[in-house]
Amino acid sequence: MGNKQTIFTDEQLDAYQDCTFFTRKEILRLHGRYHELAPHLVPMDYTNEPDCKVPLALIVNMPELKENPFRNRIVESFSEDGMGNLSFNEFVDMFSVLSEMAPRELKAIYAFKIYDFNVDNYLCKEDLEKTLNRLTKEELTPEEVQLVCEKAIEEADLDGDSKLSFADFENMITRAPDFLR
Amino acid sequence: ASPVARDSSFPSSGEMAALKEEVEEKKKLIATLRNKPWRMKRRLTLLKEAQDFVEKFEGALGKGKGRKLFAFKVMMAKKLIKLKRDFENFKTACIPWEGKIKDVESHFGSSVASYFIFLRWMYGLNMVLLGLMFGLVVVPEVLMGLPYGSIPRKTVPREEQATAMDYSTLTDFEGYFKYSILFYGYYNNERQIGLLKFRLPLSYLLVGVGIFGYSLMVVIRTMARNANEGGDGGDEGDFTFSWKMFTSWDYLIGNPETADNKYASITTSFKESIVDEQMNQKDENIHLRRFLRVLANVLILCSLGGSGYLIYYVVKRSQVFANMNKDDLTWMEKNEVEFVMSLLGLVCPPLFEAIAELEDYHPRIALKWQLGRIFALFLGNLYTFLFALFDEVNAKLESEKDIKNATILALNEYAANYSSYYNTTNVPPQNVHPADVIRGPCWETAVGKEFVKLTVSDIQVTYLTILVGDFLRAVIVRFLNYCWCWDLEAGFPSYGEFDISGNVLGLIFNQGMIWMGAFYAPGLVGLNILRLLSSMYYQTWAVMCTNVPHERVFKASGSNNFYMGLLLLVLFLSLLPVVYTIMTLSPSFDCGPFSGQEKMYDVVMETIDQDLPAFIGNIFVYATNPGLIMPAVLLMVLALYYLNAVSKGYQQANIDLKKKMQMAREEEKNRRNNKDSTNQVMKDLEDLLPNKSLIPPPAEEDRSPKVKPGAAGKGVHLQRDVSLAAPNPRDPVTRDPGPRRGPPENARGPQPGQD
């Protein structure tokens, strides 16, 4: 479109536009942010698809994520190795899902992954306890934590195995009025 | 003749169809690729594959007949996709103030930002209204109509010319402002003006009505969109804890202070829910509570009535003042009405909040009551103002009749003098300078003037409140803190919080006033645009600079449609006065585009008669026939009734399904835990089962036929056999059900067919 950028080939940009919810300008801006995180690690020229990953510690310091109690889990869910090191593809993917243009169903899937601390595809009681403690910065007493987790499982668990599978989670979250934020 | 030699790579028609399907599938995949929860690399490879496949075989499909056309179609489709994508990019780049709003969002959470998003939406709406009004009414009049000073309605009268440029006159919207495009009175009633034969009066009427139509469409469309996205409130009790746990964090917060507040509010909210859960709140002294609530409502009704009366009184006084000499009035007396209305808008809401303390409602319910009361206050004020205004209008219409008679008298006198002086009967038209002609009172301009003054004073009050209430307060707290006895920041004044509901309601009512006044004062829409623009910058600056995040950071969702609903209501209520005027009141005889007509809508009739072909006139005559309108109305009522019934049916089906799901859940749980069923219905069924201790001992043979077949006999364990279905298999069912076996072994009742 007249921009003389040399970071990506036009085909790459078109492919990104098809695979995410972002426009061309936004993808370029994302690359800028990605580069800022680790200028020595991230090359400016992505035309030959270099394979570099930015470590977790640098990503969770982004201002958008810094205050989020689940920042580590968010980054881990989008990383291929599960340790939180994101390549640019995964970085873009993460922000695409978190953006406001992503549909509810997609966000529900990733939300489930984020809250699943022990990565077993179920939200068991320990996962809920960890979630709650992160949310309240451990201000609740252990009895209160137990009570809340039990109530939450009781409310959402449909098949009665005292942990939340994805179907339970999805059923509960799609009705929530506050979910999209 | 030999058959056409076929290309060996040309697929048969059956293969072509299959291929076409596959190509369509791949295309669908490409379109929905971003919605799939796959890793990026996988998506990219799949995208490449799909695109290559589509390219390769779309070419193949194009071979044979119509290949050129097919290739052309494919190319056009590709170009269209590219065009759409570029347009989307452009549209996103065009959205104004996105960065500013995101900034506010990260500091204050999504609820405060929702106010600014609403403001931006209003701005968009008003831009379209501005385009309509200015493009179709103001600009034609300015370009193609007569200039200032050429006819009486466009000229400042001789008596006023001395003071026409004074600041005080201008702020009162008299003088040059009154006789300008800002107000209704300036517009000429010539049927067609300029080279293009532009029909200004018709355009004025249609734009006036079209503004409402467009606003209605946009508001309803936004409401429908919100309803789809947000989902309904649902049953709030069902998932309280799960929702609190998974959806209470606001992922858009980027500021440590806000984050701390959010943690605190989440913790408090959890503690509240825990307390709610643990203790059943007994209604202590329900009579006292009811009495207090009734008392509170009575007090509030009194204050609402009081404020309505105050406004009526003040408007009546302003009519008296209008008849006195302008120079004798103080500023206070001139602007009394606006001052009082703004003051009421400032003072009453906190008053309502204080009275609401008596009621002791749950905070969410209390907020709804508060908003409802503020709404009633504004509404009452506005309508009292309108009624008082209409009294004034009627008075003006009366005086207009007198002036009309006086003018005719003067004209006759002049004609008589002239003919008697020069002894001719051919009297040339009176050559009077436009500034000297006797003017009618022009009630529409007066009404428009009132609305403009009200809007201006509203703007002034809002800005002043922000300046004093927020900025000055912040400065004082910040700088006096060094030399004050108690901690100003934590204690009494501290920094202000952004009052979301107050601001949103103010915005809604401002828009209502614009809708009402736009018909009488076309310039009002332009004024509103300026106001919204400056509001955006001013308020974003004020919020970032002087406000602190709320202590209880709460979410924006759920209230979105509530505010839209209020806006819709206000739209209807502002439609009524305008429609009433168009239909019943007669326009002034010497000012505005409808002067000379009996009623304003006569312009439309005239156009139909004179400009449109005859058969359209006939269509309108038939269409307005009561015989046609009655059945049409009846049909609409029936359609409404039908849709209502269908929707009720769906709701009922929904409720039934939910109940079924709930029962299934409970049964599963109980079966797993081997507990008794807690469902009341199941318990009742259990009770209805025959009591084994009442069965007499089987001494006689002839007793057995009396036992019903299939009934549980002796030695039945009531607990296990309550459920008649087989226990739920843990694995998915992969085999067909086996041959039907007899009833389970426990049942000792007589087998069917046996004795």
Side-chain angles (χ1 to χ4, degrees), chain A residues 132-140, chain B residues 259-260 263 267:
Chain A
L132 190 59
N133 280 325
R134 295 263 178 123
L135 270 180
T136 58
K137 275 199 177 165
E138 316 208 349
E139 291 267 332
L140 297 179
Chain B
D260 283 338
Y263 285 124
T267 316

Side-chain angles (χ1 to χ4, degrees), chain A residues 37-55:
Chain A
L37 292 176
H40 305 296
L41 212 55
V42 174
M44 278 306 282
D45 184 359
Y46 255 77
T47 46
N48 42 0
E49 297 182 27
D51 183 25
C52 80
K53 291 184 183 253
V54 174

Side-chain angles (χ1 to χ4, degrees), chain B residues 167-298:
Chain B
Y167 181 71
S168 58
T169 336
L170 288 181
T171 47
D172 212 26
F173 289 98
E174 294 281 331
Y176 282 117
F177 274 164
K178 183 169 172 187
Y179 299 95
S180 71
I181 49 162
L182 272 182
F183 291 107
Y184 172 100
Y186 185 80
Y187 296 86
N188 200 5
N189 69 335
E190 254 184 71
R191 266 201 81 233
Q192 297 173 357
I193 49 178
L195 283 171
L196 297 170
K197 300 235 185 294
F198 190 79
R199 293 177 177 73
L200 188 73
L202 182 68
S203 149
Y204 195 98
L205 187 68
L206 290 180
V207 164
V209 174
I211 281 182
F212 287 104
Y214 175 76
S215 309
L216 189 66
M217 197 185 71
V218 167
V219 170
I220 292 194
R221 192 173 63 185
T222 315
M223 277 182 84
R225 207 181 293 156
N226 280 348
N228 275 341
E229 273 179 23
D232 52 6
D235 342 32
E236 296 203 347
D238 264 2
F239 294 117
T240 354
F241 282 95
S242 332
W243 284 349
K244 273 210 207 315
M245 192 177 297
F246 294 116
T247 63
S248 53
W249 181 258
D250 189 348
Y251 275 62
L252 292 164
I253 293 182
N255 179 3
E257 200 182 321
T258 323
D260 283 338
N261 277 346
K262 189 70 174 162
Y263 285 124
S265 86
I266 291 180
T267 316
T268 327
S269 139
F270 268 116
K271 291 205 176 180
E272 274 176 15
S273 302
I274 293 174
V275 164
D276 265 356
E277 183 69 25
Q278 280 170 343
M279 302 207 294
N280 285 328
Q281 293 206 351
K282 284 205 190 121
D283 270 340
E284 318 204 348
N285 207 349
I286 195 171
H287 295 290
L288 180 66
R289 185 181 286 191
R290 274 204 200 131
F291 170 72
L292 282 176
R293 282 186 188 168
V294 167
L295 181 67
N297 277 318
V298 164

